[in-house]
Amino acid sequence: MMRVLLGAALLCATSHLRGVTAMAAPPQFTLDLDLPPSQRWAGAVALVLAAHPWEASFGVVFAAHNASLFNNVTAEQFDQLTRTLQSHFPETAAEIQGISAQFTAAGHPVSVAYLSAWVYFHELAHTDLAGPGIDTQECTGLIVAAGGGGAGGAAVHVANMDQSPEAVRNITLQVHLVQNNGTTVARGVDWYWITTGMSRMVRAGVASTQENWRDTGVLDTAATFTAISNGAVPQILMFRQTLLGVRCSANPCTAADNGFAQFVRANRGVALAAPYYVVAAGPAAGDGVVMARSATAVDSELNLGEDGQWYLAQTNYDQCAVAPPGTNGTTAPCHVLPDSTADPRRTAAVATLVSIGPSVGGTVLGAFAVASTYPVHNPHTAFTAVMSAAEGTLTAFVRTAMCPETAGTTILDSRYCGGTNATTAWTSRG
């Protein structure tokens, strides 16, 4: 029902505003997990190239990330990453081999070693291998209690993926994961599918989830490679592993399976090689969490409904002073940190949520409207995903890079559109 209502409303909106919003649904791809790993992504590369030629899609994305990162990776490091993937994640390595073969068949050879390094993109981008041109501090996640929490329904989860260059929009796919003769297992959307993983995913009865970049300083390259070689899970594979790893008595999972609790526990405990944020909502009322992960621990955790709060809003900056987890897996009370004044996306999101209130903000359209408010939606916003863990639905829209014509009612920033910050950073928790 959520998907139908959202689609009908957006059809009306875009029929009048197509020249402004220019939203489009990314192509759909079915990932059949019953197939041998090397065959699962067959047709994905061709699906992208049928809509956008190499020079407007993969070629631009690869060139941009080569200049900012991969040109600095040595042949020995490429080899180490490839061997590590084959050793610790052989199924992923086999899927990578299949994707590489598709590129070769399309006349654009992309090596297994190069795609294997992409699996570790987030980890490498935290080290001094990343050049000054890399732009990673992006993305916004919104979780709102249905009706502000009064209706007792599951939370709505809206996720913006912000990334450069613009061509990432042209390689974005919406992925339908199936198994056991076509039975839906999960859904995802991303341009990172070239790694076999996805940063926005949902599994019915378990969770909707996204990752956001977290910066805790430049990581030591040697130590990062050591963690990778020891089997740290690549961030981009986390959600395929932890969503599909939840054990359930039926498909979709039932309330008795406690799927959301299983998912949260798994994401607290997995060893990583770099920090990030996990933003996730579950199928029951009150299921919502923002987790600030380091490589080895949970530094802080916010939960939907704490202190009566009906929303969570997370961008790329810590909201709490670091508080170590307690023995029961929870964290100490949050000492609220201010938002970035140069990049006040959380400020804008929270101000808009407070302005429209829970009766509107706690709806699918209300949350999507907040995610579409500048600078939450900004020139780097590649796509927006609307997800429901209760229904197992994911609806995605590729977004247009744009700046507001005027700044009259806009929370200004100094990052995206040449504006000057003209607001006090929001100091309430997001």
Side-chain angles (χ1 to χ4, degrees):
M1 179 63 71
M2 179 188 78
R3 182 168 49 188
V4 173
L5 290 175
L6 180 64
L10 288 175
L11 179 63
C12 295
T14 56
S15 66
H16 295 290
L17 299 174
R18 184 167 299 276
V20 177
T21 60
M23 289 187 295
Q28 299 267 352
F29 178 80
T30 298
L31 183 66
D32 189 345
L33 301 179
D34 288 333
L35 293 174
S38 64
Q39 299 176 23
R40 291 174 183 169
W41 291 95
V45 171
L47 185 60
V48 169
L49 292 176
H52 304 283
W54 174 267
E55 296 77 13
S57 58
F58 298 111
V60 179
V61 173
F62 291 159
H65 289 85
N66 290 346
S68 62
L69 177 63
F70 291 113
N71 285 347
N72 300 323
V73 179
T74 68
E76 292 76 15
Q77 289 169 330
F78 275 115
D79 182 62
Q80 181 179 349
L81 295 170
T82 304
R83 287 186 285 105
T84 297
L85 194 67
Q86 293 169 343
S87 174
H88 290 285
F89 308 99
E91 191 171 335
T92 299
E95 291 187 18
I96 288 291
Q97 289 174 344
I99 295 173
S100 174
Q102 289 183 60
F103 279 114
T104 298
H108 302 285
V110 178
S111 71
V112 169
Y114 181 69
L115 291 175
S116 297
W118 264 99
V119 176
Y120 294 98
F121 167 78
H122 291 86
E123 290 74 16
L124 299 177
H126 277 88
T127 72
D128 60 11
L129 291 171
I134 199 163
D135 192 2
T136 50
Q137 197 94 334
E138 309 273 1
C139 301
T140 301
L142 303 173
I143 297 174
V144 296
V156 174
H157 185 172
V158 179
N160 280 359
M161 156 60 79
D162 298 356
Q163 186 71 33
S164 298
E166 284 190 47
V168 298
R169 296 160 171 80
N170 294 343
I171 69 172
T172 298
L173 293 179
Q174 192 161 311
V175 181
H176 180 203
L177 291 81
V178 300
Q179 198 169 27
N180 298 325
N181 298 316
T183 301
T184 298
V185 176
R187 297 180 185 275
V189 61
D190 220 331
W191 63 273
Y192 283 118
W193 64 265
I194 56 173
T195 68
T196 78
M198 285 152 282
S199 64
R200 277 91 178 117
M201 292 188 70
V202 63
R203 181 181 175 189
V206 179
S208 59
T209 189
Q210 71 180 94
E211 64 83 24
N212 285 12
W213 176 274
R214 184 182 183 216
D215 187 0
T216 57
V218 177
L219 301 183
D220 179 76
T221 300
T224 301
F225 269 83
T226 297
I228 288 171
S229 295
N230 288 338
V233 179
Q235 289 180 13
I236 199 62
L237 301 185
M238 273 290 293
F239 297 150
R240 266 190 74 173
Q241 288 209 4
T242 56
L243 275 179
L244 274 58
V246 169
R247 298 187 176 186
C248 295
S249 58
N251 185 19
C253 299
T254 67
D257 295 315
N258 294 314
F260 185 66
Q262 289 188 57
F263 174 80
V264 171
R265 282 197 301 271
N267 279 274
R268 286 189 185 125
V270 173
L272 305 171
Y276 77 153
Y277 299 104
V278 177
V279 183
D287 287 345
V289 66
V290 170
M291 191 184 304
R293 273 296 313 261
S294 69
T296 58
V298 177
D299 287 338
S300 65
E301 191 172 296
L302 303 175
N303 290 280
L304 189 65
E306 286 180 346
D307 303 323
Q309 189 128 309
W310 57 274
Y311 59 81
L312 294 171
Q314 177 64 43
T315 58
N316 303 96
Y317 309 96
D318 282 7
Q319 300 192 47
C320 294
V322 173
T327 55
N328 62 350
T330 61
T331 56
C334 172
H335 173 68
V336 179
L337 298 174
D339 194 13
S340 166
T341 56
D343 182 17
R345 283 172 289 129
R346 175 163 59 100
T347 298
V350 171
T352 306
L353 284 166
V354 171
S355 174
I356 63 179
S359 61
V360 175
T363 66
V364 176
L365 286 177
F368 186 83
V370 175
S372 301
T373 301
Y374 182 83
V376 184
H377 171 223
N378 59 72
H380 294 182
T381 304
F383 65 80
T384 300
V386 181
M387 300 180 283
S388 168
E391 300 177 13
T393 54
L394 186 156
T395 305
F397 302 94
V398 172
R399 310 302 295 269
T400 298
M402 61 170 62
C403 289
E405 289 187 13
T406 63
T409 59
T410 300
I411 290 181
L412 298 178
D413 69 298
S414 59
R415 178 174 185 175
Y416 297 105
C417 295
T420 302
N421 186 287
T423 185
T424 300
W426 194 263
T427 54
S428 176
R429 191 182 49 144

